[in-house]
Amino acid sequence: MIARMIVSSLQSGIEKLGDMIAEARSIIPFTGAGISTECGIPDFRSPGGLWTKNRPIPFDEFVASQDARDEAWRRRFAMEPSFAGAKPGRGHRALASLYKAGKVPAIITQNIDNLHQRSGFAAEHVIELHGNTTFAKCIGCGHRYEIDWVRSRFDDSGEAPDCETCGDPVKSATISFGQAMPEEDMRRATELTQHCDLFLAIGSSLVVWPAAGFPLLARNCGAKLVIINNEPTDQDEIADLVINHDIGETLGPFIGN
Ligand code: NAD
């Protein structure tokens, strides 16, 4: 299969995307870290992204080692000003406009920053494949803790805290490498992807699996596929439209539509 259109000019990309949105009955956006970079949250793989600075801590290491848990929380606290201060960007706001207009039944995101909810999506319509970092959970009993609670425990004892109920480690409510994917979210994401007629992959390098399987699934189920990212991805060749431009500039014109 070959891409029907890779646009070089931003304007023609916006026009073509506008036509596809107008024709679509059910649009599923699928977002990655690139939609939030203009909000001050770095992505993983761009120059200056998080992975150029820190090796990720896999789940089994987090569970096995107090040192790993302490380091994971130190990194999380260091990110707190970015997460707490971030406001939805143009991409988030444009997608929220399509949601309010009834074109988008729900959104699938790899992001953990809560910005789709803050832009106006109801929480039950945001499918978070990799969880949410704005709160924490016990990995044993699932009890919820707020980041401030973890912070004050850490500051008092110098160590990442365990659950007050069951004693298991408390972790940000995200899915780490090696941790099981959330079953119900995966099921809902699969169903929505299978039944949409336009799938928008926005700001993802499409290298983290199984999440990166959704654009492919959409295409295989007959939906049109649009990829918006400032660098090429491995799935560009199966897309109907590829826009290699800034997300805010590309989606900005759709705010309020
Ligand atoms: P990624 O870092 O692998 O890819 C982001 C892509 O977006 C890159 O290809 C980059 O070139 C592109 N990009 C960055 N800014 C852009 C812009 N303004 N316009 C157009 N393109 C832009 O991120 P990913 O594919 O989402 O996957 C990695 C994992 O990163 C996810 O699991 C997610 O949980 C995690 N993550 C999330 C956040 C967040 O919640 N905001 C931040 C960092 C990492």
Side-chain angles (χ1 to χ4, degrees):
M1 234 181 288
I2 49 160
R4 276 89 186 141
M5 188 182 288
I6 297 181
V7 289
S8 49
S9 117
L10 175 62
Q11 195 46 43
S12 61
I14 292 170
E15 281 165 19
K16 176 74 184 147
L17 178 60
D19 291 344
M20 292 170 87
I21 287 173
E23 279 166 22
R25 206 178 14 84
S26 172
I27 304 170
I28 295 297
F30 167 87
T31 58
I35 196 170
S36 298
T37 52
E38 77 168 14
C39 313
I41 301 175
D43 64 10
F44 270 166
R45 292 177 181 78
S46 291
L50 296 175
W51 279 7
T52 58
K53 298 186 179 129
N54 286 316
R55 177 187 70 87
I57 298 170
F59 185 63
D60 56 354
E61 211 175 304
F62 183 93
V63 175
S65 150
Q66 180 72 46
D67 283 349
R69 292 197 286 281
D70 295 349
E71 174 60 15
W73 276 111
R74 270 192 292 271
R75 288 183 193 177
R76 175 61 188 81
F77 299 145
M79 290 292 296
E80 183 58 8
S82 307
F83 282 115
K87 294 194 177 59
R90 288 170 292 177
H92 299 98
R93 286 158 52 212
L95 297 177
S97 297
L98 295 174
Y99 168 69
K100 281 182 203 131
K103 282 268 186 183
V104 166
I107 185 163
I108 305 170
T109 188
Q110 299 177 89
N111 292 347
I112 54 176
D113 55 26
N114 213 43
L115 287 178
H116 289 303
Q117 291 89 328
R118 291 193 56 199
S119 72
F121 276 84
E124 68 266 28
H125 295 144
V126 182
I127 297 163
E128 295 175 312
L129 298 178
H130 296 159
N132 188 313
T133 197
T134 62
F135 62 99
K137 275 204 288 201
C138 166
I139 62 170
C141 69
H143 186 84
R144 175 179 169 135
Y145 291 94
E146 301 310 317
I147 301 296
D148 285 350
W149 179 90
V150 181
R151 182 81 195 234
S152 76
R153 289 304 171 107
F154 195 103
D155 287 347
D156 289 348
S157 68
E159 284 191 342
D162 292 329
C163 179
E164 290 186 319
T165 310
C166 74
D168 275 353
V170 173
K171 182 179 171 293
S172 72
T174 52
I175 306 295
S176 299
F177 282 102
Q179 191 171 2
M181 293 294 283
E183 247 175 65
E184 176 60 10
D185 293 291
M186 285 296 284
R187 190 197 60 72
R188 285 181 67 206
T190 302
E191 200 172 290
L192 286 160
T193 302
Q194 286 168 331
H195 294 106
C196 70
D197 57 357
L198 178 60
F199 191 93
L200 309 176
I202 302 165
S204 174
S205 57
L206 301 180
V207 297
V208 179
W209 291 77
F214 287 105
L216 188 62
L217 175 66
R219 195 72 191 77
N220 286 342
C221 291
K224 293 205 167 122
L225 173 62
V226 177
I227 295 180
I228 306 171
N229 205 57
N230 62 11
E231 62 177 11
T233 76
D234 287 348
Q235 297 191 35
D236 288 358
E237 61 182 32
I238 61 161
D240 296 274
L241 175 65
V242 177
I243 304 178
N244 287 142
H245 287 280
D246 179 74
I247 293 161
E249 284 179 31
T250 306
L251 292 181
F254 298 95
I255 296 172
N257 281 349

